[in-house]
Amino acid sequence: MATDACAKVLGIPREKVTLHYTLLGGGFGRRGHRDEEFIIDAVLLSKEARRPVKMTWTREDDVHNGRLRPITAHYLRAGLDSAGNIVAWHQRLAGDRVTPYQDPIRYKAAGEKDFILMLGVELRSYDIANQYCGQIYRNSGVRTSSLRGIGYTANKFVTEAFLDEIAAKRGIDPVALRLELLKNTPRGRAVVERVAAMANWGAKTADGRARGFAFIDYSNSLLGGIAEISVNRTTGEIKVHDFWCAMDCGIPVQPDNVIAQQESSIVYGLGMALTERITIKDGAVEQSNFYDYQVMRMRDLPQMHIELLATDNHPTGAGQMATPLVAPAIANAFAALTGKRLRETPMTPERVKKALAT
């Protein structure tokens, strides 16, 4: 994609451009867009200087010119029959498109339909007969892009938190509700039962702590997650002490690598759930570096307990599957501990204190 952009900037045929990629591990971030700015910068400077140049962006450049996960707003409702079974599910969300900014050529070829925003709204493993999910586009002017976990991260936060509210309304255990909904999905039931056993779900926690649960079907990789948290009611800080995760991704070809991927996925999920936030004032990003864009430090990380349920199913993916588990598990733990609901991410101290005060 960058080759096309270089050819356009230089005004020469695409076959005259050779792009030499450098392979690196952990190179998350600016990859895949057709108009990567630092590449275009280098091409333009080299064209003017008529010699090779090296282009290096500062982290401030990178933060100020980022492409952001779209902000979304959600409306959900569910219909229950006389026995308390969920028989209807209705979700609508409003948010910016992603593909027009990330890959405009692909967006045009798809008939100007954007799917990234909606990934994860479908409840494929749950036995809910009547489901409707609708999308309302908004155009804030912010350049959007995929973030690890893509649409699942926001959408599963919403759906799994809502399911806990339904469990509370019915007066049943949140894990029991998921097992009920997964009655026709043996793989899903096995994942839920395993993570519940790993965390000793239902046992009394230490004073001042509570646990929250979440389940997701991410492209047919099935995961269950449990977070144990405490809350500093003075500062508003949420502390995650332990996180348990059980995963069935079919045949795990490289089991150690799969577990490592889930560890890093959980770290990403913690940052997005608790601290990572971009704010914009007068059209400009306010954050500059890691001192005001807070990513997870080692001191912030919980003990992580991860198990794979190896099955003979076709491998279904493991790159970012645990990331969407984190926010709903934390939010559900917070509700269990305080009786209050956090409906926005990141769950910053200011938002925590505001929720506790209501």
Side-chain angles (χ1 to χ4, degrees):
M1 289 187 273
T3 304
D4 294 327
C6 292
K8 184 177 180 180
V9 169
L10 293 170
I12 61 177
R14 186 184 188 280
E15 56 268 20
K16 295 290 186 180
V17 177
T18 301
L19 188 63
H20 299 281
Y21 288 97
T22 300
L23 301 179
L24 73 163
F28 305 107
R30 297 177 171 276
R31 299 185 297 179
H33 301 294
R34 293 181 181 270
D35 58 342
E36 293 288 14
E37 297 96 327
F38 57 86
I39 296 177
I40 302 303
D41 288 351
V43 169
L44 288 171
L45 289 169
S46 183
K47 181 181 179 181
E48 292 300 318
R50 295 184 177 274
R51 65 184 64 187
V53 300
K54 178 180 180 180
M55 169 57 59
T56 303
W57 275 20
T58 64
R59 185 170 289 129
E60 286 75 11
D61 291 331
D62 210 21
V63 173
H64 292 159
N65 296 281
R67 301 173 188 232
L68 311 176
R69 184 182 72 173
I71 189 171
T72 55
H74 302 254
Y75 172 83
L76 292 92
R77 58 181 178 171
L80 280 62
D81 65 16
S82 59
N85 300 308
I86 304 174
V87 295
W89 183 275
H90 180 200
Q91 179 177 0
R92 301 179 76 191
L93 71 87
D96 288 286
R97 297 173 176 90
V98 176
T99 320
Y101 295 100
Q102 181 167 313
D103 192 343
I105 294 176
R106 185 180 180 188
Y107 176 67
K108 290 289 185 181
E112 298 191 351
K113 294 180 181 179
D114 182 70
F115 69 94
I116 291 177
L117 190 67
M118 296 294 285
L119 288 171
V121 295
E122 70 281 4
L123 306 178
R124 294 185 303 175
S125 292
Y126 289 147
D127 183 26
I128 301 175
N130 305 292
Q131 299 184 35
Y132 169 81
C133 299
Q135 182 184 58
I136 303 170
Y137 288 131
R138 62 192 297 272
N139 294 298
S140 67
V142 174
R143 296 185 309 170
T144 57
S145 187
S146 302
L147 188 61
R148 196 170 190 185
I150 46 180
Y152 285 87
T153 301
N155 295 329
K156 290 306 183 186
F157 166 64
V158 171
T159 58
E160 286 298 302
F162 187 45
L163 279 171
D164 256 43
E165 294 190 62
I166 294 172
K169 184 177 180 62
R170 286 184 51 188
I172 68 171
D173 181 83
V175 169
L177 175 61
R178 272 44 168 231
L179 292 172
E180 181 182 292
L181 291 170
L182 292 165
K183 61 185 178 183
N184 297 320
T185 309
R187 290 176 63 204
R189 289 183 61 89
V191 163
V192 172
E193 289 169 348
R194 182 61 200 140
V195 76
M198 289 166 58
N200 198 16
W201 178 266
K204 181 176 173 54
T205 62
D207 291 342
R209 296 189 184 185
R211 293 175 179 173
F213 174 83
F215 168 84
I216 60 172
D217 176 340
Y218 193 140
S219 300
N220 210 30
S221 288
L222 308 180
L223 300 94
I226 294 173
E228 181 171 312
I229 73 163
S230 63
V231 179
N232 185 320
R233 293 173 181 262
T234 301
T235 65
E237 179 186 9
I238 295 174
K239 174 67 176 177
V240 182
H241 299 277
D242 287 272
F243 197 93
W244 293 267
C245 174
M247 177 182 188
D248 176 354
C249 60
I251 299 173
V253 179
Q254 295 282 351
D256 289 345
N257 286 348
V258 172
I259 290 176
Q261 285 281 8
Q262 302 329 300
E263 289 172 343
S264 67
S265 293
I266 291 166
V267 174
Y268 265 77
L270 288 164
M272 286 188 273
L274 298 176
T275 61
E276 296 185 41
R277 186 184 188 196
I278 291 291
T279 56
I280 297 174
K281 183 177 181 180
D282 298 328
V285 171
E286 293 188 288
Q287 287 70 32
S288 295
N289 208 313
F290 290 147
Y291 62 85
D292 56 3
Y293 183 81
Q294 296 292 326
V295 299
M296 289 287 104
R297 268 65 169 179
M298 290 295 291
R299 66 174 181 269
D300 303 318
L301 299 183
Q303 290 293 316
M304 288 184 268
H305 319 272
I306 301 169
E307 288 191 17
L308 301 180
L309 280 66
T311 67
D312 58 1
N313 294 286
H314 185 78
T316 48
Q320 55 198 18
M321 279 40 186
T323 297
L325 278 176
V326 179
I330 293 173
N332 291 336
F334 183 86
L337 182 63
T338 68
K340 305 290 185 178
R341 268 283 159 196
L342 292 169
R343 304 185 186 278
E344 297 177 276
T345 57
M347 293 172 255
T348 60
E350 295 75 20
R351 288 172 172 168
V352 168
K353 288 190 285 187
K354 181 178 178 181
L356 293 174
T358 58

